[in-house]
Amino acid sequence: MTVTIVGSQLGDEGKGGIVDVYGDAVDIVARYQGGDNAGHTVVEDGEEYKLSLVPSGAIRSKVGVLGNGCVVNPETLFDELDALRERDLDPDLRVAARAHVIFPYHRILDGIEEDAKSEEGDLEAATTGRGIGPAYEDKVGRRGVRIGDLLDPETLRARLEYVVPQKRALAEDVFEIETGDAFDVETLFEQYRAFGERLREEGMVVNAGEFLSDAIDAGQNVMLEGAQGTSIDIDHGIYPYVTSSNPTAGGACTGAGLGPTAVGQGEIIGIVKAYLSRVGTGPLPTELAGVEGHTPGYEPPGESGETGRAVTAGTLQSDEELANYIREEGGEYGTVTGRARRVGWLDIPMLRHATRASGFTGVVVNHVDTLAGLDEIKVGHSYTLDGEERFSLPGTTEQWADCEPNYRAFDGWPDQDWAAVAEGGYDALPENARTYLEYISDELGVPIYAVGVGPGRSETLVLEQPF
Ligand code: IMP
């Protein structure tokens, strides 16, 4: 069977940790979209692993697959594999022949287009700069290079000879930058042919859809691991401040090469962070305070508001202080970029939208420990838009920016020994935390499968085993 893990918010909900928690029964972990823009942190025996491309299950001796819906930077791929091998892990990783390749020119074009969008007036998405959007553009524009092509020098050369001059012209004539090796056919051919050789030597390239469905037919358990989150999905997110793929469950079908029946017969688990965090631009109705350069129209306060690390939960007054506190407690800095994340209260309309778009069969709520110590915890229960109460995301990002959240307040819960809570089970959770969790579950009409109360696997309370 399959279990699909989907981010229900804006990415960084702690999906990697949950893949790991449920990993015991898993044979294969497959990613179905995205590339090295994703950042997952997995803690194993006190060791922290930060991965951006390799699926998180691969550190636990599961077979990892990068599905055809992924965009793969071979340089990152081999760097991560080599780094894991240096730490005595030997992940068995397969890559779809149909996955698309990220080239150095994609990264450069990603950066210069962001600059151009910024100059044109706040249109940039604050991308991770990994070339994700430009690589997907080439895929849809039918001029991309696929992993399978790297193993076939003739095809690789032909593809590069077609596409690279176009990219060079775009960079030089439209964006007026100087180009170098990153736009040179011969250099790229040699470098990427060598990646192809290594992929072949290591036996990594597979027909992913067939590989996965054969495994399912043979009774194996497949975890489909989404990257990013629903609100930055290219179709269901806050366009244009989105990533260029489908993190929602539909993406698991197209991006892994499995039918909706295969995915739908399994479980689809939405991962929820107990508050909101966001790396990137665009509106965020329940945002607390803001982050310069990312929050539209935000200007940092003077010294009085900048309380930063020194504050304790009991002394928090302003939204600025709350945001700083949650950011520090939750370690809300980008895994890939190190950027400070924007922070906000939980947004229930966003979660209702995510639950519908992916058809969640269960949710996991993470970071419940991060909110500990706050007197009061708010959630955006609904929005008011043009005088009407709305319970889900409106159809356009501009309307979303005009939404005023209607908050509900919950009593906070004290900090405690969370490892003991995790051991004690659901009833060991503070009563106010249970009230909060039950409200989320009731509003979404979906049961809670697990609760995260810390970063390690042992700090997750598991209520349901999906496999
Ligand atoms: P890209 O995916 O690098 O093109 O970036 C597009 C948008 O998605 C930007 O707002 C990024 O900050 C956001 N994004 C991409 N990957 C992640 C992720 O793994 N977590 C959170 N946000 C992400």
Side-chain angles (χ1 to χ4, degrees):
M1 75 174 277
T2 63
V3 169
T4 304
I5 299 291
V6 177
S8 65
Q9 293 153 318
L10 297 136
D12 310 314
E13 300 92 350
K15 296 177 289 293
I18 294 305
V19 170
D20 195 42
V21 163
Y22 286 138
D24 282 341
V26 174
D27 299 294
I28 301 176
V29 181
R31 279 189 59 183
Y32 53 86
Q33 43 75 231
D36 56 348
N37 50 348
H40 13 262
T41 308
V42 181
V43 181
E44 164 86 345
D45 288 337
E47 288 265 319
E48 196 174 82
Y49 299 90
K50 285 186 187 295
L51 303 168
S52 65
L53 192 55
V54 172
S56 25
I59 68 154
R60 292 190 65 200
S61 324
K62 311 294 168 186
V63 178
V65 175
L66 295 173
N68 58 277
C70 295
V71 281
V72 178
N73 183 330
E75 207 168 328
T76 313
L77 178 71
F78 289 124
D79 281 354
E80 284 190 6
L81 279 180
D82 291 343
L84 289 173
R85 282 175 186 155
E86 268 169 35
R87 293 171 76 175
D88 288 333
L89 295 171
D90 193 15
D92 179 354
L93 187 62
R94 316 297 175 94
V95 188
R98 289 186 169 89
H100 277 250
V101 177
I102 298 182
F103 284 91
Y105 52 79
H106 289 128
R107 281 196 174 211
I108 294 172
L109 290 168
D110 194 359
I112 55 183
E113 188 162 1
E114 282 279 288
D115 291 346
K117 281 181 164 176
S118 162
E119 278 161 28
E120 286 297 316
D122 288 347
L123 279 174
E124 79 277 19
T127 71
T128 59
R130 300 295 195 265
I132 305 294
Y136 277 118
E137 271 178 54
D138 281 354
K139 167 179 175 172
V140 178
R142 295 166 297 184
R143 65 182 93 81
V145 177
R146 307 203 291 181
I147 286 290
D149 301 334
L150 301 184
L151 279 65
D152 172 359
E154 221 171 286
T155 306
L156 175 62
R157 180 177 285 284
R159 298 266 189 271
L160 290 174
E161 279 176 354
Y162 175 74
V163 72
V164 174
Q166 285 188 18
K167 298 294 156 190
R168 201 168 44 235
L170 179 66
E172 287 174 355
D173 303 342
V174 176
F175 293 114
E176 297 177 335
I177 62 154
E178 277 183 31
T179 56
D181 282 353
F183 293 80
D184 178 68
V185 173
E186 214 47 53
T187 312
L188 293 170
F189 174 75
E190 286 308 330
Q191 198 183 352
Y192 281 73
R193 192 174 60 123
F195 286 137
E197 269 167 27
R198 184 161 172 196
L199 286 165
R200 188 202 307 278
E201 275 163 21
E202 299 206 16
M204 291 172 70
V205 180
V206 291
N207 181 347
E210 207 170 85
F211 183 81
L212 293 173
S213 49
D214 285 353
I216 295 167
D217 289 348
Q220 296 199 349
N221 286 330
V222 175
M223 177 84 87
L224 299 164
E225 177 183 356
Q228 291 87 40
T230 306
S231 285
I232 53 172
D233 179 290
I234 185 82
D235 287 290
H236 304 292
I238 49 167
Y239 193 90
Y241 311 106
V242 292
T243 193
S244 301
S245 65
N246 289 120
T248 42
C253 304
T254 53
L258 296 171
T261 38
V263 174
Q265 275 160 10
E267 298 260 11
I268 300 174
I269 304 178
I271 313 302
V272 176
K273 185 177 269 187
Y275 50 92
L276 278 193
S277 72
R278 160 75 167 141
V279 202
T281 48
L284 197 59
T286 61
E287 182 168 19
L288 275 158
V291 169
E292 205 177 357
H294 283 186
T295 305
Y298 175 77
E299 281 176 28
E303 259 168 42
S304 60
E306 290 174 17
T307 40
R309 288 165 197 267
V311 287
T312 59
T315 63
L316 303 174
Q317 300 285 333
S318 66
D319 283 355
E320 200 78 31
E321 287 175 326
L322 274 165
N324 286 338
Y325 180 79
I326 295 173
R327 183 175 302 114
E328 296 305 325
E329 288 294 307
E332 295 299 349
Y333 294 87
T335 317
V336 173
T337 57
R339 299 181 292 196
R341 295 180 184 145
R342 297 161 69 187
V343 169
W345 295 122
L346 192 65
D347 184 324
I348 300 288
M350 182 190 281
L351 293 182
R352 291 191 191 100
H353 171 77
T355 304
R356 179 192 48 72
S358 285
F360 295 152
T361 54
V363 290
V364 171
V365 183
N366 277 329
H367 277 274
V368 167
D369 55 312
T370 302
L371 297 180
L374 299 179
D375 288 341
E376 186 184 61
I377 291 161
K378 289 192 195 169
V379 299
H381 174 75
S382 62
Y383 303 137
T384 298
L385 179 65
D386 299 330
E388 255 183 56
E389 189 172 17
R390 309 280 286 246
F391 292 91
S392 190
L393 250 60
T396 73
T397 304
E398 291 64 33
Q399 287 174 318
W400 197 45
D402 290 339
C403 284
E404 278 300 323
N406 300 311
Y407 288 106
R408 285 200 181 173
F410 290 80
D411 288 334
W413 46 87
D415 203 6
Q416 46 216 283
D417 179 349
W418 292 104
V421 169
E423 233 182 86
Y426 189 72
D427 290 338
L429 278 168
E431 190 184 344
N432 289 346
R434 278 185 272 137
T435 305
Y436 188 73
L437 293 167
E438 282 151 24
Y439 160 79
I440 296 170
S441 172
D442 286 349
E443 287 304 316
L444 305 183
V446 169
I448 296 202
Y449 276 15
V451 182
V453 293
R457 200 179 335 156
S458 59
E459 290 150 320
T460 304
L461 268 159
V462 178
L463 312 178
E464 280 293 329
Q465 285 290 352
F467 284 109

